[in-house]
Amino acid sequence: MQNFFVDDLCLITPLQREEGVRLFGEVVGAHQVPLATAVASCAERAQEITVDLASVEYLSNSALATLVGLARTLRPPQTLVIVSSPALRLHLRLQQRGWDRLDTLELRCT
């Protein structure tokens, strides 16, 4: 991936110790392409791809759907690991859509 993506709302940076990305700020629909590009580039090299949302204050449904779509392209044992604070309520949001049952998606709350 490129070294990073930044705009007025969001910062996407590569993780240093594992394959994946860390996001900061507010992630909205306009960030779907840079988010997908960053995660997809990691998926080429790793079995476990981490998306760290612990510093994200807002995650739009379209951005969440982008992450789920990326997880659907993976084949076990590859896994997309989403790290999130409870404030984003991702467990509930994933469960409401049936996305919590994907074998290639794992949610870890901080």
Side-chain angles (χ1 to χ4, degrees), residues 33-109:
V33 171
L35 177 59
T37 302
V39 174
S41 71
C42 296
E44 297 171 1
R45 301 182 299 274
Q47 295 297 317
E48 185 173 285
I49 304 101
T50 300
V51 178
D52 186 342
L53 302 176
S55 298
V56 168
E57 299 163 10
Y58 172 79
L59 182 74
S60 71
N61 286 332
S62 58
L64 180 57
T66 297
L67 291 173
V68 170
L70 290 162
R72 285 182 170 150
T73 67
L74 302 176
R75 297 289 170 250
Q78 276 191 305
T79 306
L80 183 70
V81 177
I82 299 175
V83 178
S84 173
S85 70
L88 292 178
R89 301 176 49 214
L90 291 189
H91 178 73
L92 177 63
R93 292 168 66 187
L94 290 168
Q95 189 177 39
Q96 288 173 334
R97 292 165 180 82
W99 294 339
D100 60 324
R101 295 186 293 267
L102 288 174
D103 291 338
T104 55
L105 181 65
E106 179 182 336
L107 178 63
R108 295 181 189 162
C109 287

Side-chain angles (χ1 to χ4, degrees), residues 21-42:
V21 294
R22 175 172 289 128
L23 288 83
F24 299 86
E26 297 180 14
V27 186
V28 298
H31 300 121
Q32 289 176 287
V33 171
L35 177 59
T37 302
V39 174
S41 71
C42 296

